[in-house]
Amino acid sequence: MSTTQEAFSDFKDPSLFRNILEQSLAGFWIWNTQTREAYLSPSFKALFGYEELELEGSAETWQKLVHPQDAHLIEKAIGDHISSNGEIPFKENARYLHKNGSSVWIQCTGKITQRDEEGNPLIISGAHIDISEYKTQESHLKISEERFKGAFEHSAIGMALVSTKGRWLKVNNKVSQILGYTKDELLKTTFQDVTHPDDLNLDVNQLGQMLAGEIKTYQMEKRYFHKTGKTVWVNLSVSLVRDTDGLPLHFVSQIEDITLRKESLQKLEAAITEKEGLNLKLKKQNTKLADFAHIASHNLRAPVSNLQALMNMHKLLEAGQERDEIFGKFEVVLEHLTETLNELVDAVRINNEAKEARLVPLSFSSVFERTKQILSGDILNKKAHIEGDFSEAPEVKYLPSYLESIFLNLISNALKYSSPNRIPSITVYSRINDGRVSLHVKDNGLGVDLEKQGAKLFGLRKTFHKNKDAKGIGLFMTKTQVEALGGRIYAQSEVDKGSTFSIDFNDA
Amino acid sequence: MTLDNMNKPYVWIVDDDDIYQYTITKTLEIENVTHDVQVFSDGETALESLQELAGTGSGLPDFILLDLNMPIMDGWQFLDEYQNFPDIDTIKLFVVTSSVSEADQEKVKSYPSVQDYVVKPVDIKALKQLLAAS
């Protein structure tokens, strides 16, 4: 006899057997189907909180312990086992009542272990195992699963499980509603397929960072393409689910449709931009009107009041030499008035012309050469040194007559207000900045104190030097022409050092 | 020059408009309301004269009729400098301008040394009253 067999025969020793049974967590029972006597092991009684002596071994005790609602389950399972003559195994889960009133989930198993002389079942024995903990976990799991499922399906925002490669694994109704695809259609695609290409990189980069464990979640505003092709704006929040070993399982995406919000915002922004543009235009027009009113008031009122004063004097005086003198003054004032009116008419004409102006490409150097010819007498008289450099921006699209007048005015001003203490030196050059062409006329002349005179530099009939030729028209007309075509004119100057007049042409 | 004349005011005209210069001086002459009239074509030359006279206590005008719209140094710049001079308490300064701008009229009020704002053309009667009030 081998040692194993010896041990096995020892195992058949009832006391040893009983010992093992009592140490196990299971409770054991033996039932005589005919006498209805029963043996319930101490561990059986302990399952329900009873001491060995508190319960007697009988079918009635079992009846008392089993939960009234579950008794039929056990009865049926035993019945099936018996009637099938042991073919159908007896295994059933049922609730029992603990001494303290709580329920205990029990897995009941048993088997016919002895038959009578006719072969009918006599003894059935089996085990009860406490499965309450397992049942509780199971029910918790079931509840949380159902809760998740409910939250997932009925969420007000789109929810999706997405594979680490980007395939849609599970989507709720809202996602199909946002993207316009049925669930089945979506599950055949990846999120990359329906993402706007401009937003794809950022999205993919962040998924990568999450897989690498660098970030836990991320949120972004992005665009998807709806099945119809239109753009859908969403607010996307993504987190990653990992298994117990920390390996990535899948992403959980929350997708909120913000298209309406985005579109309203864009419309609002567009409206604001439009309004700002309109305001700016109105402001410019208002400024022009105010300028014009100012010019009219200053430049027309002065000669008219002079006429009035002369008229009054004329009345005061007797006929004679003095009256003739006054008459001569009338002529001067009227001439002055006519000139001013003509200038104002010119200014209005410039603004009207500019509205329908056809701009043509003009060469700076050829306009410069023509201007030098026109001013050759002055240049010669003053022995002025004058040079042009238009290599950086050789051309500008402009109205020919305006560009000629701009060159003429700025260069003749530079000559007129040259310093008697040095040889006049004038440099004319063009620049290009952000596609915008500018012209600059720099001299070493008398200069102007811009702090004092700057605001009036380009006004009509403003002069800043005791120069008998000064009429104050040139810069006013130049400004009118430049602004009528959407550009601007400005100056830098230092008294007795020189000035630079600059024009930024319109970039249109 | 009569003694009578000595009691009449000494007036400075600060204005670049030569027609106005002519009409105002001529009118003052005809009306015989001034002791003497001095004309400056811009604020700077008037200020230079003021600088020379300031502190000497003599030669200062009784009246200044100041234009606003002038080259080189306009009326505003003149006023800014003028405020800082000593002895100007005895001088009555009037702004005389063709500007009817409300902004200009308001701005003038911020200069305490200005008596009043007169719009051109100057009414002769009003001018006589103004100069007689000294």
Side-chain angles (χ1 to χ4, degrees):
Chain A
M1 204 181 266
S2 75
T3 10
T4 316
Q5 277 169 328
E6 273 173 47
F8 200 66
S9 68
D10 284 348
F11 194 71
K12 282 177 174 171
D13 170 20
S15 65
L16 181 71
F17 191 48
R18 180 166 300 190
N19 250 330
I20 292 168
L21 284 181
E22 288 308 321
Q23 284 169 51
S24 85
L25 288 168
F28 294 92
W29 53 272
I30 302 165
W31 179 45
N32 187 317
T33 58
Q34 284 166 18
T35 63
R36 297 186 64 76
E37 280 174 324
Y39 166 76
L40 303 174
S41 74
S43 57
F44 185 102
K45 293 171 184 170
L47 282 176
F48 312 110
Y50 293 96
E51 298 290 329
E52 163 68 2
L53 296 173
E54 282 184 274
L55 292 175
E56 61 173 29
S58 70
E60 284 69 34
T61 300
W62 178 82
Q63 287 284 2
K64 202 175 98 184
L65 287 174
V66 75
H67 195 289
Q69 283 173 11
D70 290 358
H72 69 281
L73 294 171
I74 306 292
E75 282 159 2
K76 179 172 186 300
I78 289 190
D80 288 349
H81 185 66
I82 293 168
S83 62
S84 69
N85 207 13
E87 283 286 306
I88 301 171
F90 166 40
K91 188 176 180 186
E92 185 60 82
N93 295 340
R95 283 166 299 171
Y96 280 64
L97 296 170
H98 193 273
K99 188 179 171 186
N100 66 16
S102 64
S103 296
V104 186
W105 270 101
I106 296 292
Q107 187 188 72
C108 312
T109 51
K111 205 178 167 182
I112 302 164
T113 48
Q114 206 178 322
R115 296 173 188 275
D116 61 13
E117 283 139 22
E118 282 118 49
N120 294 322
L122 179 64
I123 304 290
I124 300 179
S125 55
H128 275 29
I129 302 169
D130 185 343
I131 57 167
S132 297
E133 205 174 313
Y134 164 76
K135 271 285 176 189
T136 314
Q137 275 176 5
E138 190 187 57
S139 79
H140 281 171
L141 204 62
K142 215 168 177 178
I143 288 166
S144 76
E145 241 173 37
E146 266 163 18
R147 274 191 194 148
F148 177 72
K149 208 176 160 196
F152 190 89
E153 278 306 328
H154 303 112
S155 169
I157 61 170
M159 304 257 302
L161 306 186
V162 179
S163 83
T164 52
K165 301 273 181 231
R167 186 163 291 279
W168 301 100
L169 299 174
K170 191 170 163 66
V171 295
N172 71 353
N173 291 333
K174 196 73 191 176
V175 175
S176 14
Q177 197 184 319
I178 291 171
L179 297 177
Y181 294 93
T182 66
K183 283 186 185 178
D184 288 343
E185 284 171 335
L186 268 182
L187 298 188
K188 285 174 195 145
T189 65
T190 63
F191 83 83
Q192 292 95 325
D193 293 334
V194 291
T195 293
H196 193 289
D198 290 352
D199 297 336
L200 189 57
N201 270 348
L202 182 60
D203 205 355
V204 169
N205 284 346
Q206 298 194 95
L207 289 176
Q209 284 181 36
M210 209 153 53
L211 286 172
E214 291 161 12
I215 53 172
K216 289 225 182 303
T217 62
Y218 73 86
Q219 200 170 46
M220 69 181 282
E221 284 188 0
K222 64 173 278 189
R223 283 158 293 178
Y224 285 118
F225 288 120
H226 190 268
K227 192 180 180 182
T228 58
K230 71 177 179 186
T231 304
V232 184
W233 273 100
V234 303
N235 188 8
L236 172 72
S237 307
V238 185
S239 53
L240 177 62
V241 177
R242 294 173 182 273
D243 67 13
T244 46
D245 295 330
L247 294 172
L249 280 177
H250 58 75
F251 298 110
V252 178
S253 301
Q254 288 174 291
I255 302 163
E256 187 190 357
D257 189 345
I258 55 165
T259 309
L260 217 61
R261 198 198 304 165
K262 272 275 174 190
E263 280 175 356
S264 323
L265 203 67
Q266 278 164 357
K267 271 183 201 160
L268 196 67
E269 274 167 2
I272 289 169
T273 313
E274 196 185 337
K275 192 164 170 277
E276 273 170 358
L278 204 66
N279 274 346
L280 204 67
K281 213 170 154 187
L282 276 174
K283 216 169 174 181
K284 271 189 184 168
Q285 281 179 354
N286 278 343
T287 311
K288 271 189 186 170
L289 272 176
D291 280 352
F292 192 80
H294 193 71
I295 287 162
S297 140
H298 273 271
N299 299 283
L300 293 176
R301 275 197 63 85
V304 168
S305 73
N306 278 339
L307 283 178
Q308 191 105 44
L310 286 170
M311 198 68 159
N312 291 340
M313 279 186 63
H314 192 262
K315 280 180 196 161
L316 274 174
L317 293 168
E318 304 292 321
Q321 205 208 331
E322 277 184 313
R323 261 192 146 176
D324 293 345
E325 199 180 309
I326 289 170
F327 200 74
K329 299 285 180 194
F330 268 119
E331 260 182 44
V332 174
V333 177
L334 280 175
E335 212 171 278
H336 182 173
L337 191 58
T338 313
E339 243 176 65
T340 305
L341 277 173
N342 283 341
E343 285 150 16
L344 288 174
V345 168
D346 275 352
V348 173
R349 187 177 47 77
I350 286 168
N351 275 311
N352 287 338
E353 269 174 6
K355 275 180 203 155
E356 46 207 52
R358 285 190 39 208
L359 306 184
V360 289
L362 299 169
S363 150
F364 280 130
S365 54
S366 62
V367 177
F368 178 63
E369 290 308 321
R370 267 206 301 283
T371 311
K372 275 205 302 192
Q373 268 176 17
I374 295 168
L375 295 173
S376 56
D378 284 341
I379 295 170
L380 213 63
N381 276 341
K382 300 235 175 186
K383 297 188 173 67
H385 179 72
I386 174 163
E387 62 178 51
D389 176 9
F390 308 104
S391 51
E392 192 172 309
E395 276 191 356
V396 68
K397 280 182 85 178
Y398 220 62
L399 210 60
S401 59
Y402 284 16
L403 193 63
E404 281 164 15
S405 132
I406 287 165
F407 266 82
L408 196 61
N409 275 328
L410 293 184
I411 295 173
S412 65
N413 266 354
L415 286 168
K416 201 184 286 175
Y417 303 115
S418 57
S419 165
N421 302 327
R422 47 189 175 266
I423 293 169
S425 169
I426 303 167
T427 318
V428 186
Y429 56 95
S430 60
R431 291 278 181 270
I432 185 157
N433 203 348
D434 283 340
R436 210 180 156 112
V437 176
S438 60
L439 180 72
H440 309 266
V441 178
K442 181 177 162 56
D443 66 49
N444 63 346
L446 296 170
V448 171
D449 186 343
L450 288 177
E451 229 169 83
K452 287 185 178 166
Q453 316 285 358
K456 303 179 296 185
L457 194 53
F458 300 99
L460 180 57
R461 296 219 171 271
K462 300 287 186 185
T463 55
F464 306 96
H465 304 277
K466 293 164 188 164
N467 185 316
K468 59 181 176 1
D469 294 338
K471 278 164 120 189
I473 301 170
L475 282 177
F476 170 72
M477 281 301 170
T478 304
K479 180 175 186 269
T480 308
Q481 290 174 333
V482 168
E483 287 182 352
L485 287 178
R488 68 183 190 109
I489 183 166
Y490 50 97
Q492 286 173 296
S493 189
E494 208 176 319
V495 173
D496 209 33
K497 288 273 168 67
S499 309
T500 303
F501 283 86
S502 300
I503 292 167
D504 290 346
F505 295 100
N506 186 17
D507 46 355
Chain B
M1 198 181 287
T2 61
L3 249 175
D4 182 37
N5 253 357
M6 288 304 288
N7 293 329
K8 289 173 188 167
Y10 174 34
V11 179
W12 280 13
I13 310 286
V14 187
D15 198 308
D16 65 312
D17 186 328
D18 44 9
I19 298 292
Y20 170 77
Q21 287 175 7
Y22 171 81
T23 55
I24 193 80
T25 46
K26 202 79 186 166
T27 307
L28 292 174
E29 189 185 305
I30 293 165
E31 295 293 330
N32 192 24
V33 284
T34 55
H35 153 64
D36 196 6
V37 176
Q38 173 88 35
V39 175
F40 301 91
S41 289
D42 64 78
E44 203 168 22
T45 46
L47 214 59
E48 278 164 14
S49 287
L50 205 60
Q51 217 147 20
E52 284 167 21
L53 297 170
T56 66
S58 67
L60 288 170
D62 301 305
F63 284 89
I64 296 177
L65 306 184
L66 176 71
D67 186 23
L68 290 178
N69 204 13
M70 286 181 292
I72 303 164
M73 176 185 271
D74 68 14
W76 301 117
Q77 288 162 351
F78 178 88
L79 285 174
D80 288 336
E81 303 276 336
Y82 177 77
Q83 311 249 82
N84 303 324
F85 276 96
D87 303 340
I88 59 164
D89 299 349
T90 58
I91 305 173
K92 293 194 164 62
L93 189 147
F94 290 87
V95 164
V96 182
T97 175
S98 59
S99 166
V100 288
S101 142
E102 279 178 31
D104 284 350
Q105 298 191 29
E106 276 305 307
K107 193 175 169 189
V108 159
K109 287 181 186 163
S110 66
Y111 292 92
S113 51
V114 178
Q115 300 284 317
D116 208 348
Y117 187 98
V118 180
V119 177
K120 292 180 192 172
V122 182
D123 181 68
I124 297 163
K125 272 187 208 161
L127 185 65
K128 277 165 81 177
Q129 270 177 8
L130 206 136
L131 295 175
S134 60

